[in-house]
């Protein structure tokens, strides 16, 4: 999910497998650290879903209550990535080969997982798995990748809009879209102006603009880091307490447990608030240790592959979701520790796999291939425009 951004490589400098040979004064490694934390949050969400501790069947148990607190605390992970994209890409050089490089990575893992499945578990592979693996972006196997690829082609226009707006105009724009696509749908509990509760290209575009605003104009600059952490915790606790209270009250009002997830969705004001708080907190972080910077850069560079691998419909299912169901039967404290530890182990394992992928891509000069594909598409576009001009010029 952590997608390569426009300035992932400093101009004229050398990076090796994502690890810098220097500490760039212009690069914000706190944002890289946020990529890691955000991907850990995504892993936590998926692990909690896999162990089924959040279902109503466990309602009233300590694991259910603690599990939902952990769920809400991690729910802003996806929003963080969209904010990071706007924060970083607004000042970067736009290059279409970036999206081709992303597609190469996704294809590498989906086709590779399909090959492994056909070799070792052929009986589990169905026609749908094959089609989704062969066409991962078009099939929507990874909703975030599909939405991001669509968003990518709008980035130059969003940047142009953000650069031409005054600070006051930008504020009016953000307040308007926030009210229309976050506040109203949340309060009415209906997707009035459809953004599919945040699972859409349009919601990523809104967060992109918000991240751009934070980078260009700043936000809550006078607030210190501790109050920002308190703001994050306050948003989490409010959404959690609201759910727990409604779980108790709703059976007496409507005869069933319902409505507790009102504030637990990507476009909820409270989930947006937690994401913005983390963006502001991590953007202020500075690292002086070259070893820490190397570790952060390596892990952050692998975060996209962590997403693709653990969400894979074939490999991810067999080696992740079906393996860790035992954590649901432990105590609530042990469950939290287990989920956090498993998320860290899965992240590290996927990062090691991605190191192999980066090495192979370097041998195959995948960047050159991405430029070739982009150039070919550019020639097709030029030929199409030329044909249109000829048609228009005919009497």
């Amino acid at each position: 999910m952590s997608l390569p951004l426009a300035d992932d490589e400093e101009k004229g400098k050398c990076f090796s497998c994502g690890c810098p040979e220097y500490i760039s004064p212009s690069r914000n490694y706190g944002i890289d650290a946020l990529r890691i934390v955000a991907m850990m949050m995504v892993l936590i969400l998926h692990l909690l879903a896999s162990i089924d501790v959040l279902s109503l069947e466990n309602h009233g148990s300590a694991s259910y209550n603690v599990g939902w607190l952990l769920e809400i605390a991690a729910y802003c992970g996806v929003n963080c990535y969209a904010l990071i994209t706007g924060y970083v890409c607004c000042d970067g050089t736009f290059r279409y080969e970036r999206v081709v490089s992303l597609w190469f990575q996704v294809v590498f893992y989906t086709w590779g997982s399909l090959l492994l499945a056909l070799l070792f578990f052929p009986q589990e592979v169905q026609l749908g798995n094959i089609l989704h693996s062969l066409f991962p972006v078009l099939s929507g196997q990874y909703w975030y990748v599909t939405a991001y690829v669509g968003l990518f082609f709008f980035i130059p226009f969003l940047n142009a809009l953000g650069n031409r707006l005054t600070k006051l105009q930008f504020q009016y724009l953000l307040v308007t879209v926030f009210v229309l696509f976050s506040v109203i749908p949340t309060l009415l509990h209906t997707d009035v102006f459809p953004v599919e509760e945040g699972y859409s290209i349009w919601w990523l575009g809104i967060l992109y603009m918000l991240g751009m605003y934070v980078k260009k104009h700043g936000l809550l600059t006078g607030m210190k880091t501790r109050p920002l952490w308190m703001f994050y915790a306050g948003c989490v606790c409010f959404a959690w307490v609201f759910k727990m209270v409604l779980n108790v009250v709703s059976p007496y009002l409507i005869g069933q447990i319902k409505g507790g997830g009102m504030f637990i969705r990507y476009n909820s004001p409270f989930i947006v608030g937690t994401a913005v708080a983390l963006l502001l907190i991590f953007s202020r972080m500075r690292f002086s240790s070259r070893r820490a910077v190397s570790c952060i850069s390596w892990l952050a560079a692998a975060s996209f592959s962590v997403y693709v691998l653990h969400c894979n419909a074939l490999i991810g299912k067999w080696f992740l979701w079906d393996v860790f169901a035992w954590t649901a039967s432990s105590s609530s404290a042990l469950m939290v520790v287990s989920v956090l530890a498993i998320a860290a182990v899965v992240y590290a394992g996927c990062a090691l796999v991605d190191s192999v992928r980066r090495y192979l891509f370097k041998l195959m000069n995948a960047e050159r291939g991405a430029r070739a594909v982009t150039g070919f598409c550019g020639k097709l576009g030029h030929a199409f425009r030329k044909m249109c001009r000829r048609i228009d010029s005919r009497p």
Side-chain angles (χ1 to χ4, degrees):
M1 192 175 289
S2 175
L3 305 173
L5 305 175
D7 69 341
D8 270 355
E9 296 180 3
E10 300 287 344
K11 293 182 179 180
K13 302 297 182 178
C14 179
F15 275 68
S16 176
C17 293
C19 301
E21 296 178 356
Y22 72 109
I23 298 179
S24 170
S26 61
R27 187 176 182 86
N28 191 329
Y29 293 104
I31 295 297
D32 285 335
L34 179 56
R35 295 189 202 182
I36 301 169
V37 172
M39 179 47 61
M40 284 289 293
M41 288 178 166
V42 173
L43 284 168
I44 289 170
L45 294 179
H46 292 168
L47 283 168
L48 287 173
S50 71
I51 63 179
D52 201 32
V53 72
L54 304 178
S55 65
L56 285 177
E57 295 177 357
N58 301 314
H59 172 63
S61 66
S63 295
Y64 175 88
N65 296 336
V66 174
W68 269 109
L69 181 61
L70 185 59
E71 171 89 356
I72 297 169
Y75 213 83
C76 65
V78 173
N79 286 352
C80 285
Y81 280 112
L83 290 174
I84 290 172
T85 306
Y87 186 91
V88 177
C89 284
C90 63
D91 293 328
T93 303
F94 180 80
R95 293 184 294 168
Y96 281 105
E97 56 262 30
R98 277 298 189 193
V99 73
V100 180
S101 297
L102 284 179
W103 181 74
F104 281 174
Q105 292 183 48
V106 175
V107 167
F108 175 85
Y109 287 118
T110 55
W111 290 16
S113 63
L114 177 61
L115 179 60
L116 290 175
L118 289 173
L119 289 175
F120 298 103
F121 310 99
Q123 69 279 2
E124 299 289 341
V125 180
Q126 301 176 359
L127 179 60
N129 300 130
I130 296 175
L131 293 177
H132 287 172
S133 297
L134 293 178
F135 306 101
V137 175
L138 296 179
S139 66
Q141 178 178 168
Y142 305 100
W143 79 265
Y144 188 89
V145 175
T146 302
Y148 182 84
V149 169
L151 173 66
F152 197 91
F153 294 99
F154 290 95
I155 285 178
F157 307 103
L158 294 177
N159 288 347
L161 174 62
N163 290 330
R164 284 167 174 75
L165 292 174
T166 65
K167 182 177 180 180
L168 184 60
Q169 289 173 330
F170 213 149
Q171 290 173 348
Y172 279 135
L173 173 63
L174 291 177
V175 169
T176 300
V177 297
F178 186 70
V179 170
L180 291 178
F181 299 103
S182 178
V183 176
I184 292 177
T186 299
L187 294 179
L188 297 182
H189 206 53
T190 303
D191 206 7
V192 181
F193 306 102
V195 290
E196 300 179 30
E197 298 185 1
Y199 291 90
S200 70
I201 177 179
W202 315 116
W203 181 246
L204 297 188
I206 292 170
L207 293 178
Y208 181 95
M209 295 297 291
L210 179 54
M212 183 192 304
Y213 179 87
V214 172
K215 179 65 175 293
K216 288 185 171 296
H217 302 293
L219 185 66
L220 302 177
T221 54
M223 184 178 291
K224 295 183 179 180
T225 301
R226 179 175 293 180
L228 285 174
W229 278 116
M230 293 175 63
F231 177 72
Y232 166 82
C235 289
V236 171
C237 290
F238 179 88
W240 180 74
V241 170
F242 181 87
K243 178 175 178 57
M244 295 298 107
V245 170
L246 210 60
N247 282 357
V248 174
V249 173
S250 59
Y252 297 98
L253 298 178
I254 59 177
Q256 59 179 323
I257 298 176
K258 190 176 182 180
M262 178 177 177
F263 295 116
I264 310 172
R265 53 181 67 186
Y266 291 141
N267 63 329
S268 162
F270 294 96
I271 301 302
V272 175
T274 57
V276 171
L278 291 180
L279 178 68
L280 297 177
I281 291 168
F282 280 85
S283 66
R284 299 177 181 182
M285 292 183 178
R286 296 296 180 266
F287 299 90
S288 57
S289 168
R290 182 179 175 275
R291 181 173 297 179
V293 167
S294 296
C295 182
I296 290 172
S297 298
W298 181 70
L299 290 173
S303 56
F304 176 68
S305 293
V306 175
Y307 168 70
V308 175
L309 279 169
H310 91 271
C311 287
N312 183 269
L314 296 173
I315 301 300
K317 178 180 183 298
W318 295 324
F319 295 101
L320 181 59
W321 312 126
D322 293 342
V323 174
F324 301 119
W326 57 269
T327 57
S329 60
S330 59
S331 67
S332 57
L334 185 58
M335 179 198 68
V336 172
V337 173
S338 299
V339 168
L340 295 178
I342 291 168
V345 170
V346 170
Y347 196 119
C350 293
L352 290 174
V353 173
D354 189 58
S355 296
V356 178
R357 192 272 309 166
R358 276 180 274 176
Y359 176 74
L360 293 176
F361 272 33
K362 186 176 181 180
L363 288 180
M364 296 184 296
N365 201 350
E367 290 187 4
R368 182 179 179 182
R371 290 193 296 269
V373 172
T374 304
F376 176 74
C377 293
K379 291 179 180 178
L380 289 179
H382 178 73
F384 178 75
R385 290 193 300 269
K386 188 175 181 180
M387 181 183 67
C388 290
R389 285 196 298 267
R390 287 180 179 179
I391 295 175
D392 291 339
S393 63
R394 291 179 181 179

